[in-house]
Amino acid sequence: MIVSAVVAIAENNAIGKDNQLLWHLPADLKHFKQITSGHTIIMGRKTYDSIGKPLPNRRNIVITRTAGLLIPGVEVTGNIEDALALCANEDEVFIIGGAEIYKTTLAVTDRIYLTRVHENYEADAFFPEIDFNEWEETSVEKHLPDEKNRVAYTFSTLLRK
């Protein structure tokens, strides 16, 4: 099984504030949907709360410390090990946040689908530092701002060396 992280990060590694995204990039949302549709996504409870519902056409797994939490349409586990065990027979699973889940799973992540938002943002949630000596960038797609996406951004795929 390939464990992949899907994340959009600012130049200062910011990913969120007050349990919300920091920017509105329709192209990134479309990119996220294309990558994850038809697959399992694993997220923390705060990320689930910010989304507010299970994402369609995906198996949704939420990790929480709240024992006995039931969420309709979602599988709930208490830790990342149990979440990954539920996916043992899958080709690829996607870690979609938040900061604590990324931090906990980065050591077992095989691939990162990275959207780099080319600005700095004030935030309270950050993606862990990526040691680029451990990763090989296999694709890069740069985008300038346009009428729908007000900031420059780059889609990259990183594979663990």
Side-chain angles (χ1 to χ4, degrees):
M1 168 180 49
I2 296 170
V3 177
S4 296
V6 182
V7 64
I9 65 175
E11 292 292 343
N12 60 341
N13 280 11
I15 60 172
K17 184 174 181 180
D18 299 326
N19 210 31
Q20 298 296 316
L21 294 175
L22 300 167
W23 46 76
H24 178 66
L25 280 176
D28 183 53
L29 298 175
K30 181 179 177 183
H31 184 66
F32 173 86
K33 184 177 181 180
Q34 288 174 332
I35 291 168
T36 62
S37 284
H39 297 281
T40 297
I41 54 174
I42 299 172
M43 69 195 95
R45 189 212 25 97
K46 290 183 204 173
T47 296
Y48 176 80
D49 288 348
S50 74
I51 296 168
K53 63 182 180 188
L55 291 177
N57 195 29
R58 283 158 274 211
R59 179 184 181 196
N60 290 251
I61 298 176
V62 170
I63 300 169
T64 182
R65 293 182 193 103
T66 305
L69 180 68
L70 298 175
I71 305 172
V74 172
E75 295 171 67
V76 179
T77 67
N79 58 61
I80 190 62
E81 294 80 14
D82 290 346
L84 291 173
L86 289 171
C87 307
N89 295 325
E90 298 188 31
D91 293 334
E92 185 173 17
V93 298
F94 296 88
I95 308 298
I96 67 164
E100 280 302 309
I101 301 300
Y102 288 131
K103 182 179 175 185
T104 302
T105 60
L106 190 58
V108 298
T109 298
D110 304 298
R111 181 181 294 148
I112 301 173
Y113 295 95
L114 176 66
T115 301
R116 176 70 75 172
V117 180
H118 298 293
E119 287 197 13
N120 288 312
Y121 290 84
E122 184 180 321
D124 58 18
F126 296 86
F127 193 80
E129 284 293 325
I130 298 171
D131 180 352
F132 284 95
N133 293 320
E134 297 179 12
W135 298 90
E136 177 185 357
E137 191 170 52
T138 60
S139 70
V140 179
E141 189 180 310
K142 296 181 180 193
H143 298 272
L144 295 173
D146 60 32
E147 62 280 350
K148 292 182 180 178
N149 303 278
R150 68 165 197 80
V151 298
Y153 58 96
T154 300
F155 295 140
S156 301
T157 304
L158 307 175
L159 292 179
R160 188 174 294 280
K161 291 181 180 177

